[in-house]
PDB file of all heavy atoms in Angstrom:
ATOM      1  N   THR A 245     -20.729 -12.446  -2.051  1.00  0.00           N
ATOM      2  CA  THR A 245     -21.756 -11.543  -2.645  1.00  0.00           C
ATOM      3  C   THR A 245     -21.275 -10.111  -2.527  1.00  0.00           C
ATOM      4  O   THR A 245     -20.937  -9.657  -1.451  1.00  0.00           O
ATOM      5  CB  THR A 245     -23.128 -11.744  -1.961  1.00  0.00           C
ATOM      6  OG1 THR A 245     -23.509 -13.099  -2.122  1.00  0.00           O
ATOM      7  CG2 THR A 245     -24.136 -10.791  -2.596  1.00  0.00           C
ATOM      8  N   LEU A 246     -21.321  -9.378  -3.622  1.00  0.00           N
ATOM      9  CA  LEU A 246     -20.843  -8.064  -3.657  1.00  0.00           C
ATOM     10  C   LEU A 246     -21.836  -7.130  -2.923  1.00  0.00           C
ATOM     11  O   LEU A 246     -23.045  -7.237  -3.041  1.00  0.00           O
ATOM     12  CB  LEU A 246     -20.663  -7.560  -5.079  1.00  0.00           C
ATOM     13  CG  LEU A 246     -19.568  -8.234  -5.861  1.00  0.00           C
ATOM     14  CD1 LEU A 246     -19.570  -7.759  -7.335  1.00  0.00           C
ATOM     15  CD2 LEU A 246     -18.213  -7.993  -5.259  1.00  0.00           C
ATOM     16  N   ALA A 247     -21.262  -6.204  -2.130  1.00  0.00           N
ATOM     17  CA  ALA A 247     -22.020  -5.225  -1.363  1.00  0.00           C
ATOM     18  C   ALA A 247     -22.332  -4.052  -2.324  1.00  0.00           C
ATOM     19  O   ALA A 247     -21.699  -3.035  -2.298  1.00  0.00           O
ATOM     20  CB  ALA A 247     -21.279  -4.743  -0.132  1.00  0.00           C
ATOM     21  N   VAL A 248     -23.340  -4.270  -3.143  1.00  0.00           N
ATOM     22  CA  VAL A 248     -23.607  -3.347  -4.233  1.00  0.00           C
ATOM     23  C   VAL A 248     -23.818  -1.876  -3.787  1.00  0.00           C
ATOM     24  O   VAL A 248     -23.266  -0.949  -4.315  1.00  0.00           O
ATOM     25  CB  VAL A 248     -24.830  -3.814  -5.087  1.00  0.00           C
ATOM     26  CG1 VAL A 248     -25.194  -2.792  -6.156  1.00  0.00           C
ATOM     27  CG2 VAL A 248     -24.566  -5.157  -5.691  1.00  0.00           C
ATOM     28  N   PRO A 249     -24.629  -1.617  -2.693  1.00  0.00           N
ATOM     29  CA  PRO A 249     -24.779  -0.220  -2.296  1.00  0.00           C
ATOM     30  C   PRO A 249     -23.475   0.425  -1.915  1.00  0.00           C
ATOM     31  O   PRO A 249     -23.222   1.567  -2.265  1.00  0.00           O
ATOM     32  CB  PRO A 249     -25.724  -0.303  -1.081  1.00  0.00           C
ATOM     33  CG  PRO A 249     -26.457  -1.580  -1.292  1.00  0.00           C
ATOM     34  CD  PRO A 249     -25.510  -2.507  -1.902  1.00  0.00           C
ATOM     35  N   ASN A 250     -22.626  -0.341  -1.177  1.00  0.00           N
ATOM     36  CA  ASN A 250     -21.325   0.238  -0.752  1.00  0.00           C
ATOM     37  C   ASN A 250     -20.430   0.467  -1.951  1.00  0.00           C
ATOM     38  O   ASN A 250     -19.700   1.477  -2.004  1.00  0.00           O
ATOM     39  CB  ASN A 250     -20.679  -0.701   0.223  1.00  0.00           C
ATOM     40  CG  ASN A 250     -21.247  -0.640   1.628  1.00  0.00           C
ATOM     41  OD1 ASN A 250     -22.168   0.121   1.860  1.00  0.00           O
ATOM     42  ND2 ASN A 250     -20.726  -1.395   2.546  1.00  0.00           N
ATOM     43  N   ILE A 251     -20.501  -0.461  -2.914  1.00  0.00           N
ATOM     44  CA  ILE A 251     -19.615  -0.316  -4.092  1.00  0.00           C
ATOM     45  C   ILE A 251     -20.072   0.887  -4.947  1.00  0.00           C
ATOM     46  O   ILE A 251     -19.182   1.652  -5.402  1.00  0.00           O
ATOM     47  CB  ILE A 251     -19.684  -1.634  -4.924  1.00  0.00           C
ATOM     48  CG1 ILE A 251     -18.923  -2.758  -4.219  1.00  0.00           C
ATOM     49  CG2 ILE A 251     -19.127  -1.416  -6.321  1.00  0.00           C
ATOM     50  CD1 ILE A 251     -19.078  -4.103  -4.819  1.00  0.00           C
ATOM     51  N   VAL A 252     -21.374   1.074  -5.029  1.00  0.00           N
ATOM     52  CA  VAL A 252     -21.861   2.276  -5.738  1.00  0.00           C
ATOM     53  C   VAL A 252     -21.355   3.531  -5.056  1.00  0.00           C
ATOM     54  O   VAL A 252     -20.903   4.481  -5.699  1.00  0.00           O
ATOM     55  CB  VAL A 252     -23.405   2.251  -5.801  1.00  0.00           C
ATOM     56  CG1 VAL A 252     -23.951   3.608  -6.269  1.00  0.00           C
ATOM     57  CG2 VAL A 252     -23.893   1.150  -6.702  1.00  0.00           C
ATOM     58  N   GLY A 253     -21.418   3.568  -3.722  1.00  0.00           N
ATOM     59  CA  GLY A 253     -20.948   4.685  -2.950  1.00  0.00           C
ATOM     60  C   GLY A 253     -19.460   4.937  -3.151  1.00  0.00           C
ATOM     61  O   GLY A 253     -19.023   6.070  -3.210  1.00  0.00           O
ATOM     62  N   PHE A 254     -18.690   3.819  -3.183  1.00  0.00           N
ATOM     63  CA  PHE A 254     -17.273   3.866  -3.384  1.00  0.00           C
ATOM     64  C   PHE A 254     -16.956   4.574  -4.711  1.00  0.00           C
ATOM     65  O   PHE A 254     -16.092   5.466  -4.825  1.00  0.00           O
ATOM     66  CB  PHE A 254     -16.695   2.485  -3.339  1.00  0.00           C
ATOM     67  CG  PHE A 254     -15.218   2.364  -3.185  1.00  0.00           C
ATOM     68  CD1 PHE A 254     -14.639   1.061  -3.181  1.00  0.00           C
ATOM     69  CD2 PHE A 254     -14.405   3.456  -3.146  1.00  0.00           C
ATOM     70  CE1 PHE A 254     -13.292   0.907  -3.049  1.00  0.00           C
ATOM     71  CE2 PHE A 254     -13.021   3.304  -2.961  1.00  0.00           C
ATOM     72  CZ  PHE A 254     -12.480   2.064  -2.972  1.00  0.00           C
ATOM     73  N   GLY A 255     -17.659   4.171  -5.755  1.00  0.00           N
ATOM     74  CA  GLY A 255     -17.465   4.758  -7.051  1.00  0.00           C
ATOM     75  C   GLY A 255     -17.739   6.229  -7.089  1.00  0.00           C
ATOM     76  O   GLY A 255     -16.983   7.049  -7.641  1.00  0.00           O
ATOM     77  N   ILE A 256     -18.847   6.641  -6.516  1.00  0.00           N
ATOM     78  CA  ILE A 256     -19.191   8.032  -6.493  1.00  0.00           C
ATOM     79  C   ILE A 256     -18.179   8.801  -5.679  1.00  0.00           C
ATOM     80  O   ILE A 256     -17.778   9.944  -6.048  1.00  0.00           O
ATOM     81  CB  ILE A 256     -20.624   8.233  -5.947  1.00  0.00           C
ATOM     82  CG1 ILE A 256     -21.692   7.618  -6.809  1.00  0.00           C
ATOM     83  CG2 ILE A 256     -20.866   9.722  -5.680  1.00  0.00           C
ATOM     84  CD1 ILE A 256     -21.717   8.256  -8.168  1.00  0.00           C
ATOM     85  N   ALA A 257     -17.717   8.271  -4.592  1.00  0.00           N
ATOM     86  CA  ALA A 257     -16.678   8.929  -3.747  1.00  0.00           C
ATOM     87  C   ALA A 257     -15.411   9.167  -4.579  1.00  0.00           C
ATOM     88  O   ALA A 257     -14.800  10.269  -4.469  1.00  0.00           O
ATOM     89  CB  ALA A 257     -16.357   8.107  -2.510  1.00  0.00           C
ATOM     90  N   CYS A 258     -15.063   8.201  -5.398  1.00  0.00           N
ATOM     91  CA  CYS A 258     -13.848   8.335  -6.238  1.00  0.00           C
ATOM     92  C   CYS A 258     -14.095   9.442  -7.288  1.00  0.00           C
ATOM     93  O   CYS A 258     -13.186  10.245  -7.576  1.00  0.00           O
ATOM     94  CB  CYS A 258     -13.514   7.021  -6.902  1.00  0.00           C
ATOM     95  SG  CYS A 258     -12.827   5.751  -5.842  1.00  0.00           S
ATOM     96  N   GLU A 259     -15.291   9.444  -7.864  1.00  0.00           N
ATOM     97  CA  GLU A 259     -15.563  10.457  -8.840  1.00  0.00           C
ATOM     98  C   GLU A 259     -15.514  11.855  -8.291  1.00  0.00           C
ATOM     99  O   GLU A 259     -14.999  12.797  -8.862  1.00  0.00           O
ATOM    100  CB  GLU A 259     -16.964  10.184  -9.420  1.00  0.00           C
ATOM    101  CG  GLU A 259     -17.291  11.051 -10.614  1.00  0.00           C
ATOM    102  CD  GLU A 259     -18.668  10.646 -11.255  1.00  0.00           C
ATOM    103  OE1 GLU A 259     -18.645   9.707 -12.108  1.00  0.00           O
ATOM    104  OE2 GLU A 259     -19.646  11.267 -10.901  1.00  0.00           O
ATOM    105  N   LEU A 260     -16.069  12.034  -7.065  1.00  0.00           N
ATOM    106  CA  LEU A 260     -16.065  13.353  -6.395  1.00  0.00           C
ATOM    107  C   LEU A 260     -14.604  13.747  -6.063  1.00  0.00           C
ATOM    108  O   LEU A 260     -14.240  14.925  -6.276  1.00  0.00           O
ATOM    109  CB  LEU A 260     -16.878  13.313  -5.102  1.00  0.00           C
ATOM    110  CG  LEU A 260     -18.390  13.168  -5.291  1.00  0.00           C
ATOM    111  CD1 LEU A 260     -19.088  12.899  -3.989  1.00  0.00           C
ATOM    112  CD2 LEU A 260     -18.974  14.378  -6.027  1.00  0.00           C
ATOM    113  N   CYS A 261     -13.828  12.815  -5.603  1.00  0.00           N
ATOM    114  CA  CYS A 261     -12.427  13.153  -5.286  1.00  0.00           C
ATOM    115  C   CYS A 261     -11.660  13.495  -6.531  1.00  0.00           C
ATOM    116  O   CYS A 261     -10.841  14.497  -6.508  1.00  0.00           O
ATOM    117  CB  CYS A 261     -11.752  11.951  -4.633  1.00  0.00           C
ATOM    118  SG  CYS A 261     -12.230  11.669  -2.905  1.00  0.00           S
ATOM    119  N   ALA A 262     -11.862  12.823  -7.628  1.00  0.00           N
ATOM    120  CA  ALA A 262     -11.230  13.173  -8.848  1.00  0.00           C
ATOM    121  C   ALA A 262     -11.562  14.582  -9.341  1.00  0.00           C
ATOM    122  O   ALA A 262     -10.724  15.362  -9.822  1.00  0.00           O
ATOM    123  CB  ALA A 262     -11.539  12.160  -9.957  1.00  0.00           C
ATOM    124  N   ARG A 263     -12.780  14.968  -9.113  1.00  0.00           N
ATOM    125  CA  ARG A 263     -13.303  16.243  -9.565  1.00  0.00           C
ATOM    126  C   ARG A 263     -12.793  17.448  -8.767  1.00  0.00           C
ATOM    127  O   ARG A 263     -12.583  18.511  -9.295  1.00  0.00           O
ATOM    128  CB  ARG A 263     -14.848  16.210  -9.516  1.00  0.00           C
ATOM    129  CG  ARG A 263     -15.535  17.371 -10.275  1.00  0.00           C
ATOM    130  CD  ARG A 263     -17.027  17.338  -9.975  1.00  0.00           C
ATOM    131  NE  ARG A 263     -17.582  16.029 -10.318  1.00  0.00           N
ATOM    132  CZ  ARG A 263     -18.773  15.593  -9.907  1.00  0.00           C
ATOM    133  NH1 ARG A 263     -19.510  16.366  -9.109  1.00  0.00           N
ATOM    134  NH2 ARG A 263     -19.248  14.414 -10.258  1.00  0.00           N
ATOM    135  N   GLN A 264     -12.629  17.234  -7.435  1.00  0.00           N
ATOM    136  CA  GLN A 264     -12.300  18.405  -6.618  1.00  0.00           C
ATOM    137  C   GLN A 264     -11.016  18.185  -5.802  1.00  0.00           C
ATOM    138  O   GLN A 264     -10.764  18.913  -4.853  1.00  0.00           O
ATOM    139  CB  GLN A 264     -13.488  18.634  -5.643  1.00  0.00           C
ATOM    140  CG  GLN A 264     -13.945  17.468  -4.856  1.00  0.00           C
ATOM    141  CD  GLN A 264     -15.325  17.705  -4.194  1.00  0.00           C
ATOM    142  OE1 GLN A 264     -16.341  17.640  -4.856  1.00  0.00           O
ATOM    143  NE2 GLN A 264     -15.302  17.996  -2.926  1.00  0.00           N
ATOM    144  N   MET A 265     -10.140  17.251  -6.277  1.00  0.00           N
ATOM    145  CA  MET A 265      -8.924  16.944  -5.472  1.00  0.00           C
ATOM    146  C   MET A 265      -7.999  18.182  -5.331  1.00  0.00           C
ATOM    147  O   MET A 265      -7.516  18.431  -4.238  1.00  0.00           O
ATOM    148  CB  MET A 265      -8.170  15.793  -6.148  1.00  0.00           C
ATOM    149  CG  MET A 265      -6.959  15.352  -5.342  1.00  0.00           C
ATOM    150  SD  MET A 265      -6.018  14.034  -6.201  1.00  0.00           S
ATOM    151  CE  MET A 265      -7.235  12.755  -6.390  1.00  0.00           C
ATOM    152  N   THR A 266      -7.744  18.852  -6.433  1.00  0.00           N
ATOM    153  CA  THR A 266      -6.783  19.953  -6.354  1.00  0.00           C
ATOM    154  C   THR A 266      -7.264  21.061  -5.383  1.00  0.00           C
ATOM    155  O   THR A 266      -6.526  21.536  -4.505  1.00  0.00           O
ATOM    156  CB  THR A 266      -6.553  20.560  -7.760  1.00  0.00           C
ATOM    157  OG1 THR A 266      -6.030  19.589  -8.584  1.00  0.00           O
ATOM    158  CG2 THR A 266      -5.569  21.694  -7.692  1.00  0.00           C
ATOM    159  N   GLU A 267      -8.493  21.459  -5.547  1.00  0.00           N
ATOM    160  CA  GLU A 267      -9.047  22.496  -4.706  1.00  0.00           C
ATOM    161  C   GLU A 267      -9.114  22.009  -3.226  1.00  0.00           C
ATOM    162  O   GLU A 267      -8.785  22.773  -2.306  1.00  0.00           O
ATOM    163  CB  GLU A 267     -10.448  22.840  -5.135  1.00  0.00           C
ATOM    164  CG  GLU A 267     -11.111  23.910  -4.326  1.00  0.00           C
ATOM    165  CD  GLU A 267     -12.546  24.248  -4.838  1.00  0.00           C
ATOM    166  OE1 GLU A 267     -12.961  23.667  -5.871  1.00  0.00           O
ATOM    167  OE2 GLU A 267     -13.253  25.070  -4.228  1.00  0.00           O
ATOM    168  N   GLU A 268      -9.512  20.809  -3.053  1.00  0.00           N
ATOM    169  CA  GLU A 268      -9.641  20.248  -1.700  1.00  0.00           C
ATOM    170  C   GLU A 268      -8.265  20.137  -1.018  1.00  0.00           C
ATOM    171  O   GLU A 268      -8.156  20.449   0.172  1.00  0.00           O
ATOM    172  CB  GLU A 268     -10.295  18.882  -1.770  1.00  0.00           C
ATOM    173  CG  GLU A 268     -10.840  18.379  -0.448  1.00  0.00           C
ATOM    174  CD  GLU A 268     -11.845  17.275  -0.728  1.00  0.00           C
ATOM    175  OE1 GLU A 268     -13.038  17.596  -0.998  1.00  0.00           O
ATOM    176  OE2 GLU A 268     -11.448  16.132  -0.684  1.00  0.00           O
ATOM    177  N   ALA A 269      -7.300  19.632  -1.759  1.00  0.00           N
ATOM    178  CA  ALA A 269      -5.950  19.492  -1.205  1.00  0.00           C
ATOM    179  C   ALA A 269      -5.387  20.870  -0.768  1.00  0.00           C
ATOM    180  O   ALA A 269      -4.767  21.004   0.260  1.00  0.00           O
ATOM    181  CB  ALA A 269      -5.023  18.811  -2.190  1.00  0.00           C
ATOM    182  N   ASN A 270      -5.587  21.871  -1.649  1.00  0.00           N
ATOM    183  CA  ASN A 270      -5.101  23.205  -1.284  1.00  0.00           C
ATOM    184  C   ASN A 270      -5.800  23.735  -0.058  1.00  0.00           C
ATOM    185  O   ASN A 270      -5.139  24.314   0.868  1.00  0.00           O
ATOM    186  CB  ASN A 270      -5.379  24.156  -2.453  1.00  0.00           C
ATOM    187  CG  ASN A 270      -4.453  23.924  -3.658  1.00  0.00           C
ATOM    188  OD1 ASN A 270      -3.369  23.363  -3.485  1.00  0.00           O
ATOM    189  ND2 ASN A 270      -4.877  24.337  -4.793  1.00  0.00           N
TER     190      ASN A 270
END
Side-chain angles (χ1 to χ4, degrees):
T245 301
L246 293 176
V248 177
N250 283 1
I251 288 171
V252 168
F254 195 179
I256 295 298
C258 287
E259 189 174 274
L260 291 172
C261 284
R263 190 187 309 163
Q264 53 196 75
M265 184 185 301
T266 301
E267 180 182 357
E268 196 163 277
N270 287 338

